[in-house]
């Protein structure tokens, strides 16, 4: 569920955010839309580094909850702003959106890789990735439907916040694997 949610955000944003930003109420020039895309990608590039620094300190669950929770806040605030109201904050939120929607998956991938016994780990991770790809195919269509139904583009950001909440809710149900040997986690000695 968590993998599906975070992939849904990633693919929906990469597919539809330019359309959202070029239309009302934002009506951004293409150059500014390009800058926002660059900031999203920079946030995504920094996310694994931030995740590495926090995963062993905070644990897999808390890292995922924090970044998914931050995603909720970032998406809701970002959707309320326009570049005309506060361009600097709008750009910072673009970077933070990229950071949050790529740091949470890092937690999930590390955690899920630690949960499965070695003999099925590859197949289990493949199964997780398949659900992520299914989200990547289906959820931009859902987001596009939301954009066609609601003229207010804020709902696109609400959609991302809901998916972040779903990812955040997933983490407490997973076991914490921080500082545990893989043999102990998977039950093999």
């Amino acid at each position: 569920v968590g993998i599906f949610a975070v992939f849904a955000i990633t693919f929906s944003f990469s597919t539809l955010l330019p359309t959202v930003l070029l239309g009302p109420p934002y009506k951004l020039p293409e150059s500014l839309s390009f800058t926002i895309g660059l900031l999203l990608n920079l946030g995504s590039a920094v996310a694994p580094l931030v995740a590495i620094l926090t995963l062993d300190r905070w644990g897999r669950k808390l890292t995922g909850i924090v970044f998914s929770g931050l995603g909720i806040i970032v998406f809701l605030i970002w959707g309320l702003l326009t570049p005309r109201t506060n361009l600097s904050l709008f750009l910072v939120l673009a970077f933070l959106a990229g950071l949050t929607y790529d740091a949470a998956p890092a937690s999930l991938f590390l955690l899920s890789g630690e949960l499965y016994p070695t003999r099925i780990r590859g197949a289990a991770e493949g199964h997780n990735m398949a659900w992520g790809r299914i989200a990547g195919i289906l959820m931009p269509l859902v987001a596009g439907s939301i954009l066609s139904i609601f003229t207010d583009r804020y709902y696109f950001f609400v959609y991302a916040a809901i998916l972040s909440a779903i990812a955040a809710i997933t983490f407490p149900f997973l076991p914490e694997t921080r500082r545990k040997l893989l043999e102990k986690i998977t039950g093999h000695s």
Side-chain angles (χ1 to χ4, degrees):
V1 173
I3 297 279
F4 188 91
V6 294
F7 267 80
I9 296 168
T10 302
F11 283 99
S12 296
F13 261 70
S14 62
T15 306
L16 295 170
L17 188 63
T19 302
V20 169
L21 295 177
L22 293 173
Y26 307 107
K27 294 185 181 176
L28 297 183
E30 287 186 27
S31 60
L32 187 54
S33 183
F34 174 77
T35 302
I36 289 168
L38 179 65
L39 288 169
L40 274 167
N41 286 325
L42 283 173
S44 293
V46 171
L49 301 173
V50 173
I52 287 168
L53 295 172
T54 57
L55 284 166
D56 278 335
R57 226 176 246 143
W58 298 351
R60 282 73 166 133
K61 289 169 66 167
L62 182 59
T63 298
I65 291 167
V66 166
F67 284 108
S68 297
L70 182 60
I72 297 166
I73 295 164
V74 166
F75 292 126
L76 291 176
I77 293 172
W78 196 20
L80 288 173
L81 293 178
T82 66
R84 289 170 199 77
T85 55
N86 191 334
L87 180 59
S88 298
L89 182 57
F90 197 82
L91 295 174
V92 167
L93 290 171
F95 175 82
L96 289 175
L99 178 74
T100 61
Y101 75 57
D102 269 356
S107 302
L108 280 169
F109 287 130
L110 181 62
L111 183 59
S112 65
E114 293 172 339
L115 294 178
Y116 302 113
T118 306
R119 61 183 162 59
I120 66 163
R121 189 170 295 136
E125 286 297 309
H127 185 261
N128 283 343
M129 288 302 296
W131 280 109
R133 294 297 175 200
I134 291 168
I137 294 165
L138 295 178
M139 296 312 282
L141 298 172
V142 171
S145 298
I146 290 169
L147 290 173
S148 69
I149 294 169
F150 299 103
T151 56
D152 187 348
R153 298 299 190 218
Y154 181 64
Y155 289 104
F156 180 71
F157 294 95
V158 170
Y159 157 83
I162 290 168
L163 289 169
S164 291
I166 291 168
I169 290 167
T170 302
F171 282 99
F173 293 100
L174 301 171
E176 181 57 69
T177 59
R178 182 177 73 142
R179 297 193 177 127
K180 293 181 181 174
L181 297 173
L182 283 177
E183 291 81 10
K184 298 258 186 214
I185 297 167
T186 60
H188 291 92
S189 299

